[in-house]
């Protein structure tokens, strides 16, 4: 007779291939496991409810999603883009640099790669492809690549998910992502410069320096959002969940009252959109909580730790194996599934190797973000392909240089833990 755990895995894979969401597939697989093991299936419901209602941090996710949706319907993105263009648009391949800088700024507000690609991405792609300055495939590729910075620079929805499964501080995880996010942006800026020289991309319209104060002033209310957000968290005024609520309220306040760019209809559509996105994430979290009970019953984390212990891997080779594993998983799984399913299995092994869990969290999230632009799954590739109406294969061809740049950044992040943990330690982290 087939093992119940194996049967559950087969069912999850089969349902996923048939088009079901990963979350629903995991719930179905968990119920099948419990039934074939002779357990009361209501255990799954009890585990699910306890996991959802006992975790206050989960509330941050829908609030950050709502804040991003409100920013996308207002004129914040336009003003931030103009500010970025004034800063770096004067260099060769300037609009590519604008793409990097605008994503870096927007990432300090949304916490979502998809929100960055859909919101700011649409505007910058249209700007880059106007008059044929850049090919549509290159504009799509660099937009997909720069959107990966979104969940690394705080706030970050994937960091919140990692905090839930690893029992680490959201605030320290946010701090740990700041320097790696800047490094990723720098690497993509360097790669854009190399590509601009190779393909002779134009020098774009130069904004006079005398106009910079006025442009900065107009963008200042939007630029203040990450300052308020992070200042509140690290100043001890707000928890990350409360900061998410403040971010959503501030985005609405600035868009509706200061910029006067949001109608009631727009706000209603933002609420609907954020509700759909939250439901999608909620189902994934629910499925992961349920399936993690199955994983615990099977004692899988300990078994994996013992299996890896047989090979007596050094920390260096363990991290190499972990990166290769997550990069491979990123090609076929979405980041949320990796964080909620795979990470809990590996945490005992990570602890046994003496690897700091905050540092490990940044490694995992960066890998998951690279997965968003890696074929064949590459969600951001499909989003930008839809925006530009370009074949995904053509965008993949242009995105490879940026994947290489991000892999170089990943190696620094992986093997220089002091670089990642510098800011958290300044803020009192003892790891």
């Amino acid at each position: 007779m087939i093992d119940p755990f194996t049967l559950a895995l087969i069912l999850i894979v089969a349902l996923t291939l048939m088009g079901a969401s990963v979350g629903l597939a995991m719930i179905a697989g968990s119920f099948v496991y419990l039934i074939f093991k002779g357990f009361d299936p209501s255990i799954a419901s009890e585990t699910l409810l306890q996991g959802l209602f006992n975790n206050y941090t989960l509330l941050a996710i829908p609030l950050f999603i709502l804040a991003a949706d409100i920013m996308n319907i207002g004129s914040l993105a336009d003003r931030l883009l103009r500010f970025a263009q004034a800063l770096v648009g004067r260099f060769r391949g300037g609009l590519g640099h604008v793409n990097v800088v605008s994503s870096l700024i927007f990432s300090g507000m949304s916490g979502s790669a998809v929100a960055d690609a859909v919101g700011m991405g649409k505007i910058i792609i249209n700007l880059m492809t106007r008059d044929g300055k850049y090919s549509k495939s290159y504009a799509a590729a660099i937009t997909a690549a720069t959107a990966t910075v979104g969940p690394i620079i705080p706030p970050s929805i994937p960091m919140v998910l990692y905090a839930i499964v690893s029992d680490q501080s959201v605030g320290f995880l946010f701090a740990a992502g700041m320097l790696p996010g800047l490094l990723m942006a720098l690497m993509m800026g360097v790669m854009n410069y190399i590509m601009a020289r190779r393909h002779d991309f134009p020098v774009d319209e130069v904004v006079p320096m005398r106009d910079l104060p006025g442009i900065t002033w107009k963008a200042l209310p939007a630029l203040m959002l990450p300052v308020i957000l992070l200042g509140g968290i690290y100043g001890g005024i707000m928890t990350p969940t409360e900061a998410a609520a403040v971010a959503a309220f501030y985005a609405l306040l600035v868009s509706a009252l200061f910029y006067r760019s949001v109608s009631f209809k727009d706000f209603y559509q933002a609420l609907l959109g954020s509700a759909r996105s939250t439901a999608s994430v909620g189902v994934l979290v629910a499925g992961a909580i349920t399936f993690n009970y199955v994983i615990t019953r099977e004692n899988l984390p300990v078994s994996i730790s013992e299996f890896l212990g047989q090979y007596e891997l050094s920390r260096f080779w363990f991290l190499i194996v972990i990166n290769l594993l997550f990069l491979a998983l990123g090609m076929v799984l979405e980041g949320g599934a990796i964080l909620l399913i795979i990470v809990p299995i590996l945490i005992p092994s990570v602890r046994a190797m003496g690897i700091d869990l905050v540092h490990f969290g940044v490694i995992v999230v960066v890998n998951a973000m690279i997965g968003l632009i890696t074929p064949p799954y590459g969600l951001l590739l499909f989003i930008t392909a839809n925006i530009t109406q370009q074949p995904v294969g053509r965008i993949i061809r242009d995105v490879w240089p940026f994947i290489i740049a991000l892999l170089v950044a990943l190696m620094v992040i992986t093997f220089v833990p002091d670089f990642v943990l510098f800011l958290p330690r300044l803020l009192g982290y003892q790891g």
Side-chain angles (χ1 to χ4, degrees):
M1 182 178 176
I2 190 169
D3 176 65
F5 184 68
T6 304
L7 181 62
L9 288 177
I10 292 172
L11 180 61
I12 290 170
V13 172
L15 289 174
T16 304
L17 292 176
M18 291 167 61
S21 73
V22 176
L24 290 176
M26 286 190 292
I27 292 173
S30 302
F31 269 97
V32 167
Y33 172 85
L34 293 171
I35 291 170
F36 276 78
K37 273 285 191 178
F39 298 132
D40 185 352
S42 65
I43 292 174
S45 302
E46 181 183 351
T47 303
L48 174 58
L49 290 174
Q50 287 179 351
L52 290 174
F53 289 111
N54 292 338
N55 205 316
Y56 174 66
T57 308
L58 273 173
L59 283 175
I61 295 174
L63 292 168
F64 278 133
I65 291 173
L66 177 59
D69 284 344
I70 291 173
M71 285 184 281
N72 281 338
I73 61 172
S75 63
L76 275 79
D78 298 286
R79 295 172 190 272
L80 291 174
L81 189 60
R82 182 62 177 164
F83 174 73
Q85 191 173 9
L87 286 180
V88 296
R90 64 189 69 245
F91 306 111
R92 181 167 295 280
L95 285 179
H97 297 306
V98 170
N99 200 319
V100 175
V101 172
S102 60
S103 289
L104 189 64
I105 297 171
F106 196 72
S107 67
M109 305 176 191
S110 71
S112 166
V114 173
D116 192 350
V118 172
M120 189 72 76
K122 286 181 180 177
I123 303 170
I124 188 64
I125 285 174
N126 289 335
L127 196 61
M128 290 181 72
T129 56
R130 187 186 303 163
D131 302 325
K133 293 179 180 178
Y134 299 80
S135 69
K136 289 185 177 181
S137 60
Y138 182 81
I142 191 173
T143 299
T146 57
T148 61
V149 177
I152 310 301
I153 297 285
S156 166
I157 293 172
M159 292 289 191
V160 174
L161 292 176
Y162 177 82
I164 292 168
V165 299
S166 65
D167 196 28
Q168 297 300 298
S169 162
V170 174
F172 287 141
L173 284 166
F174 280 4
M178 294 178 76
L179 292 181
L182 291 172
L183 175 63
M184 292 166 65
L186 175 63
M187 294 304 300
M188 286 186 285
V190 170
M191 184 56 69
N192 176 67
Y193 177 78
I194 293 171
M195 300 301 289
R197 300 287 295 184
R198 179 178 299 174
H199 298 290
D200 196 29
F201 290 149
V203 175
D204 299 295
E205 175 190 357
V206 177
V207 177
M209 292 301 294
R210 65 177 179 274
D211 293 343
L212 187 58
I215 293 171
T216 304
W217 175 254
K218 290 178 181 178
L220 188 61
L223 293 171
M224 285 301 296
L225 177 55
V227 176
I228 293 170
L229 200 65
L230 300 178
I233 293 174
Y234 299 123
I237 301 170
M238 300 177 282
T239 67
T241 303
E242 292 164 348
V246 170
F249 177 74
Y250 183 82
L252 178 61
L253 192 69
V254 170
S255 297
L257 298 183
F258 191 86
Y259 292 143
R260 299 183 183 277
S261 58
V262 175
S263 65
F264 181 79
K265 182 180 178 181
D266 292 331
F267 180 57
Y268 177 71
Q269 291 300 319
L271 288 176
L272 285 181
S274 62
R276 294 190 191 99
S277 299
T278 300
S280 177
V281 175
V283 170
L284 180 60
V285 172
I289 290 172
T290 310
F291 190 63
N292 282 338
Y293 174 80
V294 173
I295 289 172
T296 304
R297 294 290 308 188
E298 286 290 303
N299 209 22
L300 198 57
V302 175
S303 300
I304 294 292
S305 182
E306 291 174 350
F307 173 76
L308 291 173
Q310 295 175 3
Y311 295 94
E312 298 181 354
L313 294 174
S314 66
R315 185 183 298 188
F316 174 84
W317 284 109
F318 179 80
L319 288 171
I320 289 289
V321 170
I322 288 295
N323 275 304
L324 292 174
L325 172 65
F326 281 121
L327 288 171
L329 289 172
M331 294 181 182
V332 293
L333 284 177
E334 60 178 336
I338 293 172
L339 288 164
L340 294 170
I341 304 170
I342 309 300
V343 168
I345 298 174
L346 293 173
I347 281 179
S349 300
V350 173
R351 282 200 176 102
M353 294 298 298
I355 297 169
D356 184 87
L357 286 179
V358 170
H359 175 219
F360 182 68
V362 177
I363 294 172
V364 171
V365 174
V366 171
N367 272 289
M369 293 308 101
I370 294 174
L372 290 175
I373 58 171
T374 307
Y377 187 78
L379 178 60
L380 291 176
L381 299 178
F382 290 99
I383 289 174
T384 54
N386 184 59
I387 293 172
T388 58
Q389 297 299 304
Q390 290 291 296
V392 174
R394 193 172 296 170
I395 297 173
I396 291 173
R397 180 197 64 198
D398 285 336
V399 84
W400 276 114
F402 296 102
I403 293 177
I404 293 170
L406 290 173
L407 289 175
V408 172
L410 176 61
M411 290 300 99
V412 175
I413 292 164
T414 300
F415 296 111
V416 189
D418 289 341
F419 172 73
V420 177
L421 297 175
F422 176 74
L423 287 179
R425 286 169 178 164
L426 278 183
L427 296 168
Y429 180 61
Q430 300 299 315

